[in-house]
Each structure stands twice: as structure tokens, then as C-alpha cells.
Amino acid sequence: MKPAFSDADLERRRAASRRLGWLLAAVVLAIYIAGLFVKR
Amino acid sequence: MASCTDDTRTTKLVEPKPGRKLHRKLLFLSGLTLPLPVLAGYSFNFPEPVTPIARETLHIHNEFMLVITVLFVVVFAIMIYSMIRHRKSTGHAAARFTGPTSALQWFWTLIPFAILLFIDFILMGIPAVKAIVNMEDTKTGTDIVLKVTGMQWKWQYEYPEAGVKFISVLATPREQIANAEPKGEHYLLEVDKPVVLPVGKKIRVLLTSLDVIHTWWVPQFGVKRDAVPGFLRETWLLIEKPGIYRGQCAELCGKDHGFMPVVVRAVPEPEYLAWLETQKAEAKAAAGGADRTWSTEELMAKGKEVYDKICVACHQPNGQGLPPTFPALAGSKLVNGPLLGADGKIIPDSHVDRVLNGKAGTAMQAFRNSLSDVEIASIITYERNSFGNRKGDMIQPAQIKALR
Amino acid sequence: MSTATTTHPAEHAVADYHGGWLRWITTTNHKDIGTMYMTFALVMFFVGGLMILGVRAELFQPGLQLMKPEFFNQLIGVHALIMIFGALMPAATGFANWMIPLMIGAPDMALPRLNNWGFWLLPPAAFLLTLPFTLALFGIGDGALATGWTFYAPLSVQGGMGVDFAILAVHILGISSIMGSINIIVTIFNMRAPGMTMMKLPLFAWGWLITAFLLIATLPVLAGAVTMLLTDRHFGTHFFDAAGGGDPILFQHLFWFFGHPEVYILLLPVWGLIPHVLSTFSRKPIYGHTAQIYSFIAIGLLSVVVWAHHILTSGLPLPALIYFMFSTMAISLPLAVLFFCWIATMWKGAMSFETPMLFAIGFIVLFGIAGLTGLVLADVAADAQYHHSYFVVAHFHYALFAGGIMGVMTGVYFWLPKWTGHMYSEKLGKLHFWLTVLSFNLTFMPQFFLGLAGMPRRIPDYALQFAEFNAISSIGAFILGFSQLIFAWNIWSCVRGGPKVDGRVWEGAEGLEWELSSPPPHHSWETQPVVK
């Protein structure tokens, strides 16, 4: 039976996910902090 | 039949509660069985417009409702046709198409969107832009300026040119709200002192607020504008027909948001001018009052009158307040504290300071600009000698005048 | 520390598997977490529903009968927050957790432990939001948030400690949603089975992808706005205080910069799932798959540039009024594409009308009313009359109940047999549908007329001319509320047992998720799926 993803492949995908996850978290933080300086 | 239903409505309103309740139930049941005649008591559209803006708004609204009803009927007629024809139970075999394939099909697919584009930006868009430009033009040909100040939970009206200002509060008795008395015809839409405006004149309305955001709205005028603390907003009216017009605050502004109505009495210009003269005379008399010495009894009587209008919503008739949001005055440290400093100045965070300047970040507003010297002096004197408070001291309107 | 990153998922699960309640606390399995999200959403749906039944009972007749205005104000605001953040969003996230890995052929979500954390932030947040009610019973504080769900300053600056609790709860709910969104984005980007290109990606996953990006772009703005509110309340700042150089309207801009996309955040997952249901019960492929994807993207982009149509009466400058009117009207075009594709999916199919299909059709019709009234609300001139009135209340309940909640119900009936392996009671499902649709209209249709006649929102008592429609609306609300017990009962009995279903469940079902057994094995896709 061929598994959906090989172990190495799965690990590579998970690592890429973690990187992108942190990047998105950084974007969230950046928007939040920028928001505090908004002036109308 | 319509007038007959109207009669039932008016009698129903003055009947005592149990009968009224039964009546409403009957009305409701009959509404289920006999919709048309009873529907005369129901309103399905804007109330009768009395300003050019309201007429335009009603016209636009009717037109748009027609457009969207047609869209709704056409689109869902197609869907319902499909639901009837293309059923498995009638043996319809499913097609497999997933999109337009030929140029002709693309053409027919894009037609509805072209129609929608036309409806959005031409059919609805152009009259809307015209109406907005008109609505926002508060400055051309203005005859009178009315300044409206919202505050928790009352409206202050000011005629800057005439130097007249007064506060207008809900006049419906508490007993009616608590269902202890039958409700009157204008339940919750009646005030002690309506604002009076002339018909046929363009009135520029300036709006602001003392505490939180309120919204001034009279449906028959077709305008609604927020009153924002610290800023001036504006709109305009041109009332075409004498009458009494009723509205409400439309922005949630705290506990009594539902209890701050707007009542406008529109009258012919001569009547308006006469009214304005009496207001001016009253204001002059009141201002003169600040210069004479008042007796304790006078201050107490006046104080009770003003307290029951201005302070009672939060601090309650018995001075017990609604803690923790609205503190009690009975036994309050602040009210029972010293009146003024030894130098005759205001002590920070004292009773006088609080009434004049309010407390930032709470519902306690500054009454410095909304109440007269006499009113402030009488309220302070009243509060210090009521609800079990026995300070025995008093403050004169002249002192308040000097402290401002 | 588990070695989840290096071992095969199946072995990892055996090592990590806990029985009993510990299973639910420690689980990293997307199906378990999805189930928890759905259960939480259902509970919150009833909590928020009870609150609004209290409100409708008070509004049944003029006069104050049951509660003080202060308490009324708390109920309306917390009802909205509970329904939005506690019921609709978690339900959508529950769908995503359950279905996205199945649909794209992934063994699980990409970041399973983040997934667990994202869920377990929700119950404490809901607890914080409602705690002030309980505290007030014991004489501590003055109850929950009483400003409506919009937190408008300066009312919220002057409010009691319920506002602080709500600010804290919103922060936590926001973090939870952000974590869920990050997980969904990275899962869709990295965990698709070979052959599953982005353009082949099922519409449900596409809808959620746009939702997740909207959450990431706008939730931090909401968090920023409520943080500023918190510092205004306690630390002497003046962001929203004109006396200190601030501006109360700034809060409204920040709030609605989040608040308007939030509407699409709630609706995009539903728009994603509706085509699957229509296609299944019409036994015909989805019409305009690509067109719908581009519409989702267009709506996502437009949604962040139209926010001020929520504050058209606040005194914006004329050019801003005209801009926000036209940009709002522009949303009707991609939305019309969706309606077109939905109806075209049904067209010339071989339809049958099981409960999910009924709910999907009910959704289209009633959401159509929301869309069309939304179009007229965009018109600034007419909006002056509609704004802050019951017309708006009716409009957004057509959008969020008929559009959001009924969309979720569609999904629940559609996927419940897949999740449980049992068929629910079709008879009760249909009864639930008809009761819901009829009582929903009985509740909210009169509110359109109330708004036109001039009844403002958020008032605990009203003038006598509004009495008849309010009585009808309250009766409708109670029928609507109690009909939902049928829903809960139907779900419960379906989980407990019922006729067995096969993997495909529905005759016309297409997609990877239907190739697994029902219920799917604890670890799906042990073998590589073939993407057609």
C-alpha cells in the first residue's frame, strides 16, 4: 500500500507549513502594531 | 373599513391594560384570518414625507423596492421553473455542462451582468448621487440655524441667532413605562418642551454631543445624522407643512437610549417668531434671576423641578442611584462634603465641581454649558438637603455665575 | 515531547492516544477537533438564542415587563458576539477541520497542535464574555458589555467592567481565529495530494482560503481598536476622546474595517459549500467553478474597501459618501456571478429534495433578499432612513441567519452522515427546515416594515404604532428558537445510531471526501488518493 505522502515528503510539507505559519503570524503582529499608530 | 380599524386602534390605546391586551390578541388573530382590512393599521412604508429630502428619499426607496422586487421575482421564477421541470422523480436526466462553451452562450451569460451593471450604476446610482449632493448642501440659502446637542438622555436645542436654548426630555410618565397606567397616544414619543421651527424656511441643523454618540432622527424629515462629542455635524430641513413630528435617538447611547424622543412642532413663521420672543423674554428673566438672592425654599422648589427633569434618570427619584454605574446621592461623601474652599474657590472633586464639570469617562456630564446659574445652584442646594442628606447649606446663583 | 515530526502519523497516534475525556483535551486529530468545534458552536447557538428570546419576550408588548433597559442592552450585544464568534465562526472552522483534509487528500491539518490550541482558547473566551452576567448576580460589577457588539466609543469608554471582559474575550477569540486561519492557509498550500492543483481545489476550500486571508488582514485591526479602547479606559490615552485630540469616529472606522470583511468571513465558507450541495442533489457538476473562485477573490478584495457604508450617517465628507456607495454596489456583481452559478448548477439537473438541498435552496432565496436589500442600503440617500433602524436588523439577519446559520445547517445535514456513518431522520430534517424557514420569515419580515415605519434599533421599549409587528416578530422568534431543538435532537440521534450509509452517502456526490468510508477512518488517506 502506497501511503499518501512519504515520510520525507510529509516532513518537508510540515516544515514549509511552519515557515509560512510564522510568516503569517508576523504579518498579523505587524498589522496590529501598525493599527495602534493610525491617525485620522 | 379602514377608518373603522383606526377607531379600534385609538380606543384600544386608552383602555386599561387587560382589555387592551385582549384587544391586541383579537386584533392579531383577526390579522391572521382577515389580512386586508386589518392591515390598514399596519404601516408598510415610510411615514408621510414633509421635507423635500424625505419626499426624494421616499421616491428613491419606492423605485428601488420595485427594481429589487422585479429582480427577485425574475431570478427565482427561473429557479422555481428549474425545480419543477428538472427533477429526478419526473425522470429528467442530468446534463453535464459546466459553463458557457460557444460565443453565443457567453453572450447570453453576460447579459444579466450588463443589466445589473446598468441598474447599479445608472438606474440607481445617478438619482442617488443627485439626492446625496442635495442632502449634503447645508449652506446654500439657509434661513435659520438650529443647534442640537445630544446628551444622556435628552436633547438640547439652541437658536444661536436669538440666544435661546433649552433642554427637551421625555414626558411619558414612568408609570406608563412600568405598565402601571394605560399608555397614552404618543407613548415614548412626547417631550416636555418640543423644538419649534417655522415652515417653508431652510433650517441648517448643527449637531454635537456632550457625552456619547447620539443620532437625531425624525422619520418624516428623511434625515438622520449622528451627534458626535467634540465635533460638529450638520444637515438641513425645509418643513413644508405645519404639524407635530416625532422621532427618536437612533444610536445606542446607554440605558435610556429608547427614552430620548425628538418632537418638532412646525408652525407658520409669524407664530414661530412670536414663540421665539417669549423664549427670549423667559431667558432674560432667568438670567436676571442669577443676580438676586434666592431663599432656601425657592432654591429647593426649583431644585426639585430641575432634578426631576435632568438628574432623575440616573440618580433615581429617591437619590439611591443605580450603583455601581450611577452612584447614590443619598449619604454620598461627595454631596455631604464641603461646599467651597476657604478661599471661595471650587474644591477639585467636590459636589460643585462634579455638577459643573462632570467626571470624564463616566455618564456624569458637565452641566456648565447646558444649565443656567439658577438651575445649577438650585440642584446643588436641593441635593445637599434631600434624600436624607442634611447639610443645611446652600449656594446662590450669583456664586455659580462668579465661579464659571 | 512526542516525535510527531519524524514518525508516521499512524504510529504517532497510537503512541499519543488517550481514552476518555483526556482524548478530547490532548487530541491533534482534525476530525476530533472538528467535532469539538461543531459541538461548541451548537451549544453557543443555543446560549445566544436564549439571550435573544429574552429580548424578544421583552419586545412582545410595549412597556417594560421583564427587564431593565441596562440588562436589555447587555443581552443584545452579547447575543451578537456569541452568535458571531461563538456559533458561526466555530461552526465554519469545524467544517474546515473536518472536510478540508478529506477534500484535498491530506492526512491531517498541517499544524495539528496549533489546531488543538486554537480550539481550546474558545471555551475560556466564551466564559469570560458571559462571566459578568454571573458576577452581577452576586452584586459584583454592573453586568456584561452593554454597548452592542460594536463597542462604539465613547459609550464603551464610559461602560462598566463588562466592557473589559469583552475586550479580553475578543482578543482571545481573535487569537484563536488567527491560529485556525494560519492552519487552514498552510494546509491548503502545502498538504494537497499530488494532482490537486489550486484550480481543481474544491470550492469549499477556496471559500475558506479567502476567509482565512480576510481574518488575517482584519482581525489584528479589531484587536488594535479594542486595545486602544482598553488604554483609553484605564491608562489615560485619548485615541477616541475629542477633548484629548482623539476622534470617536476613528473607532468606527477601525471597527468596520474589520466588521465588514467579517460578514464575508462568515459567509464565504457557506458560499463554498452550497455549490457542492447543489451539484450533489442535481446530479450534475458544479457550474462555473473557475468563475466562482474569481468571484470569491473579488469579493474578498472589495470587502476591505467598503467599510464606511456602515457609518454613512456619521457625517462623512461628500466624496467619501459617493465612493463608499459605488464600491459597495460593485459587490453585487461578483455576488450575482455566484447566484448565477448556483442556479445554473441546478438547471437541467436531475434534482431531488433531501434536507440539505432544501436548506440550500432556502439559503439561496432568503440570502437573495439580504443581497437585494443590501443593494438599496448602499444608497446613501435612502440609507439615511434605513440606518440604525429595524430595517438594518432585518437585513443582516437575512444575511447572517438565512445566509450564515442556514448555510451551516445545510452543511451539517450534508456531511453528518459522512461524519457519523449514520443517516439522520429525513422526516425530522424536513420538519426542521419548514419550521425554520416559516418562523424565520415570520420573525424578520415584519422587522423590515418596523424599520420603514421608523423604529430604531436597540430600544427596549417602543411607541404604540410598532406594537403589532413586534408581537408577530416575537411569536416568530419563539417558534424559530424552539424549532432548533428538533435540529439538536436530530444530530444527537444521528450520532447515536441510525441506518448505516456507505462512503458515497448521496447518489450524486462527487469529490475525494466521498471516496473514504463513512465514518472515515481515524487517519484518512493512508493510501494516496487519485485526483481526477
Side-chain angles (χ1 to χ4, degrees):
Chain A
M1 231 169 40
K2 189 180 166 224
F5 301 112
S6 72
D7 286 353
D9 188 27
L10 193 62
E11 174 49 25
R12 192 184 56 76
R13 286 165 183 268
R14 286 242 158 91
S17 299
R18 276 195 299 276
R19 276 196 305 276
L20 184 56
W22 280 114
L23 181 72
L24 290 170
V27 170
V28 166
L29 202 64
I31 299 175
Y32 174 71
I33 292 184
L36 297 180
F37 293 96
V38 170
K39 281 273 185 308
R40 198 162 82 89
Chain B
M1 192 65 212
S3 66
C4 161
T5 324
D6 282 342
D7 288 345
T8 3
R9 269 175 62 82
T10 28
T11 46
K12 181 189 69 186
L13 302 179
V14 289
E15 261 172 10
K17 203 177 168 240
R20 216 199 59 203
K21 239 177 160 173
L22 184 70
H23 228 110
R24 172 148 316 122
K25 270 181 197 148
L26 287 175
L27 196 76
F28 177 71
L29 287 177
S30 63
L32 291 178
T33 47
L34 275 172
L36 278 175
V38 177
L39 286 181
Y42 291 73
S43 155
F44 291 94
N45 209 332
F46 292 150
E48 182 204 353
V50 294
T51 66
I53 290 183
R55 258 188 297 114
E56 197 165 2
T57 312
L58 177 62
H59 175 72
I60 285 178
H61 165 75
N62 285 339
E63 198 178 294
F64 288 4
M65 285 297 148
L66 194 68
V67 170
I68 65 171
T69 309
V70 170
L71 281 177
F72 186 82
V73 169
V74 169
V75 169
F76 291 109
I78 295 171
M79 193 182 87
I80 288 165
Y81 171 82
S82 171
M83 285 165 61
I84 294 168
R85 289 294 306 277
H86 309 140
R87 306 166 77 99
K88 194 193 173 198
S89 56
T90 57
H92 192 272
R96 299 296 296 172
F97 63 88
T98 58
T101 42
S102 65
L104 188 69
Q105 279 188 17
W106 269 105
F107 175 76
W108 283 112
T109 308
L110 291 176
I111 285 287
F113 299 101
I115 295 174
L116 185 62
L117 204 64
F118 171 77
I119 290 174
D120 276 5
F121 293 102
I122 311 287
L123 192 65
M124 294 172 83
I126 289 177
V129 169
K130 277 191 192 144
I132 305 164
V133 171
N134 182 27
M135 192 182 248
E136 293 301 310
D137 178 19
T138 54
K139 296 184 184 72
T140 323
T142 306
D143 298 307
I144 297 171
V145 174
L146 173 72
K147 187 178 170 200
V148 178
T149 309
M151 53 189 101
Q152 283 172 324
W153 294 281
K154 47 203 170 275
W155 296 100
Q156 184 186 54
Y157 297 102
E158 184 178 350
Y159 299 77
E161 289 128 340
V164 167
K165 64 175 173 180
F166 59 88
I167 286 177
S168 170
V169 298
L170 178 74
T172 302
R174 296 169 166 270
E175 291 73 21
Q176 290 191 12
I177 298 171
N179 306 309
E181 276 180 13
K183 296 180 182 13
E185 189 188 351
H186 298 299
Y187 176 68
L188 296 188
L189 296 180
E190 50 200 347
V191 295
D192 62 337
K193 193 165 177 182
V195 56
V196 177
L197 293 172
V199 294
K201 294 279 166 190
K202 180 163 177 177
I203 301 149
R204 182 178 175 201
V205 183
L206 302 177
L207 299 121
T208 188
S209 162
L210 285 188
D211 36 49
V212 302
I213 299 170
H214 303 272
T215 300
W216 197 76
W217 182 28
V218 179
Q220 286 180 274
F221 294 169
V223 293
K224 181 188 279 145
R225 184 103 324 165
D226 293 3
V228 183
F231 292 86
L232 268 187
R233 295 289 191 253
E234 51 189 294
T235 185
W236 67 273
L237 316 166
L238 195 155
I239 309 169
E240 292 165 329
K241 200 174 131 188
I244 294 180
Y245 304 110
R246 297 165 199 276
Q248 279 175 279
C249 173
E251 176 69 272
L252 179 62
C253 56
K255 100 183 158 72
D256 283 357
H257 162 55
F259 306 93
M260 54 182 290
V262 175
V263 180
V264 178
R265 192 156 65 87
V267 295
E269 199 187 6
E271 200 180 323
Y272 161 75
L273 290 173
W275 174 84
L276 204 59
E277 282 312 311
T278 59
Q279 296 304 308
K280 276 189 204 163
E282 271 179 35
K284 208 171 166 191
D291 297 326
R292 70 176 174 91
T293 306
W294 287 57
S295 73
T296 316
E297 289 71 34
E298 279 179 311
L299 282 176
M300 287 296 283
K302 179 80 183 165
K304 180 167 171 39
E305 180 197 322
V306 185
Y307 181 91
D308 285 346
K309 178 172 166 179
I310 305 290
C311 318
V312 74
C314 302
H315 295 295
Q316 302 295 297
N318 53 10
Q320 293 300 323
L322 293 165
T325 316
F326 307 112
L329 299 177
S332 148
K333 242 194 213 155
L334 199 118
V335 174
N336 289 295
L339 189 63
L340 291 171
D343 52 357
K345 295 242 164 63
I346 297 176
I347 310 168
D349 278 324
S350 68
H351 190 190
V352 179
D353 180 32
R354 192 64 92 239
V355 175
L356 275 177
N357 302 320
K359 185 176 181 186
T362 70
M364 183 64 196
Q365 57 197 239
F367 287 100
R368 173 184 286 277
N369 296 322
S370 49
L371 296 182
S372 69
D373 300 329
V374 173
E375 287 167 325
I376 289 177
S378 60
I379 283 183
I380 293 174
T381 306
Y382 175 71
E383 287 176 350
R384 297 173 79 80
N385 298 291
S386 307
F387 325 123
N389 298 335
R390 295 266 173 275
K391 284 300 287 180
D393 54 7
M394 61 189 268
I395 190 163
Q396 285 295 331
Q399 286 175 280
I400 298 291
K401 196 176 178 184
L403 287 170
R404 278 181 191 260
Chain C
M1 171 107 196
S2 85
T3 49
T5 48
T6 52
T7 52
H8 192 269
E11 294 160 36
H12 150 58
V14 173
D16 251 13
Y17 187 83
H18 297 279
W21 58 274
L22 252 186
R23 165 185 171 189
W24 297 101
I25 297 205
T26 59
T27 183
T28 53
N29 182 284
H30 74 102
K31 302 185 191 76
D32 285 355
I33 294 174
T35 304
M36 291 198 294
Y37 266 111
M38 298 310 297
T39 314
F40 179 80
L42 188 64
V43 172
M44 285 297 127
F45 178 52
F46 280 97
V47 171
L50 269 180
M51 288 179 182
I52 213 61
L53 287 188
V55 166
R56 277 316 324 171
E58 174 58 59
L59 290 173
F60 181 60
Q61 285 200 317
L64 293 177
Q65 288 88 15
L66 302 170
M67 58 186 76
K68 288 182 177 167
E70 301 88 292
F71 187 64
F72 180 94
N73 290 347
Q74 296 169 26
L75 285 184
I76 52 172
V78 180
H79 157 77
L81 287 172
I82 291 271
M83 285 305 199
I84 292 168
F85 287 96
L88 261 176
M89 286 168 76
T93 317
F95 282 157
N97 260 295
W98 250 105
M99 299 314 295
I100 288 179
L102 301 188
M103 284 179 161
I104 67 173
D108 202 314
M109 297 294 279
L111 307 169
R113 272 172 287 176
L114 186 75
N115 206 7
N116 172 292
W117 194 14
F119 171 77
W120 280 109
L121 284 177
L122 285 181
F127 178 71
L128 278 178
L129 192 59
T130 47
L131 183 63
F133 282 124
T134 323
L135 289 181
L137 288 182
F138 293 100
I140 305 167
D142 45 9
L145 174 82
T147 63
W149 81 290
T150 50
F151 291 93
Y152 276 3
L155 184 63
S156 51
V157 175
Q158 106 183 173
M161 74 176 186
V163 179
D164 298 317
F165 275 88
I167 289 174
L168 196 57
V170 163
H171 274 117
I172 301 175
L173 292 164
I175 294 170
S176 161
S177 295
I178 298 255
M179 292 205 272
S181 304
I182 289 178
N183 211 347
I184 286 165
I185 292 174
V186 300
T187 303
I188 291 175
F189 279 173
N190 292 318
M191 305 297 279
R192 299 191 311 278
M196 175 68 78
T197 62
M198 284 308 272
M199 292 320 276
K200 277 189 191 164
L201 191 69
L203 282 174
F204 175 69
W206 257 110
W208 239 110
L209 188 65
I210 306 297
T211 283
F213 274 111
L214 285 178
L215 279 167
I216 283 190
T218 61
L219 264 176
V221 179
L222 173 71
V226 294
T227 306
M228 287 149 95
L229 187 60
L230 191 72
T231 62
D232 265 18
R233 284 171 58 79
H234 297 295
F235 306 112
T237 56
H238 300 282
F239 290 110
F240 310 125
D241 176 11
D247 183 351
I249 302 300
L250 170 64
F251 183 86
Q252 304 190 353
H253 280 285
L254 291 176
F255 183 86
W256 288 111
F257 183 79
F258 152 80
H260 193 74
E262 173 68 14
V263 177
Y264 300 108
I265 286 165
L266 299 169
L267 292 175
L268 274 163
V270 171
W271 295 342
L273 78 85
I274 291 293
H276 295 286
V277 177
L278 295 175
S279 149
T280 298
F281 296 98
S282 307
R283 295 163 181 80
K284 184 166 159 282
I286 291 171
Y287 181 93
H289 181 91
T290 315
Q292 293 190 59
I293 292 175
Y294 286 123
S295 295
F296 288 172
I297 296 172
I299 291 171
L301 292 175
L302 281 172
S303 77
V304 289
V305 295
V306 298
W307 72 90
H309 67 226
H310 291 266
I311 53 173
L312 290 177
T313 63
S314 72
L316 299 172
L318 182 62
L321 292 175
I322 290 174
Y323 160 74
F324 281 110
M325 175 172 83
F326 282 127
S327 59
T328 304
M329 283 179 167
I331 294 185
S332 68
L333 287 164
L335 204 52
V337 173
L338 295 182
F339 274 93
F340 188 93
C341 292
W342 294 337
I343 294 174
T345 301
M346 295 159 73
W347 189 255
K348 291 199 171 165
M351 275 183 257
S352 58
F353 299 93
E354 286 86 348
T355 309
M357 184 64 165
L358 288 179
F359 268 98
I361 291 168
F363 159 88
I364 297 179
V365 175
L366 297 179
F367 181 66
I369 295 179
L372 290 169
T373 50
L375 192 59
V376 298
L377 272 164
D379 179 325
V380 180
D383 182 76
Q385 285 286 48
Y386 306 138
H387 205 76
H388 294 319
S389 83
Y390 258 84
F391 190 88
V392 172
V393 176
H395 158 75
F396 70 71
H397 280 96
Y398 272 85
L400 295 183
F401 190 98
I405 300 271
M406 278 179 57
V408 168
M409 288 169 176
T410 311
V412 168
Y413 283 114
F414 187 49
W415 285 323
L416 199 58
K418 169 98 274 177
W419 299 337
T420 60
H422 307 135
M423 186 50 82
Y424 56 84
S425 158
E426 195 62 56
K427 213 162 127 194
L428 285 181
K430 285 190 170 133
L431 179 68
H432 173 223
F433 169 77
W434 286 110
L435 278 173
T436 301
V437 164
L438 294 176
S439 57
F440 170 79
N441 283 299
L442 192 62
T443 311
F444 292 103
M445 194 53 85
Q447 297 188 0
F448 278 123
F449 302 127
L450 281 173
L452 296 180
M455 178 167 165
R457 292 173 70 174
R458 294 166 165 164
I459 54 174
D461 193 5
Y462 47 82
L464 301 176
Q465 77 227 40
F466 306 128
E468 284 80 7
F469 278 136
N470 266 299
I472 297 174
S473 183
S474 289
I475 292 168
F478 273 86
I479 302 175
L480 182 60
F482 283 98
S483 314
Q484 304 319 312
L485 294 173
I486 303 174
F487 182 49
W489 170 252
N490 209 354
I491 294 175
W492 174 249
S493 3
C494 177
V495 171
R496 297 296 301 235
K500 291 264 180 291
V501 290
D502 62 0
R504 186 143 305 267
V505 183
W506 311 107
E507 189 191 10
E510 286 176 32
L512 284 184
E513 66 275 29
W514 306 104
E515 283 165 24
L516 292 163
S517 60
S518 300
H522 197 60
H523 290 282
S524 19
W525 304 124
E526 301 278 293
T527 56
Q528 186 169 321
V530 182
V531 179
K532 274 180 265 185

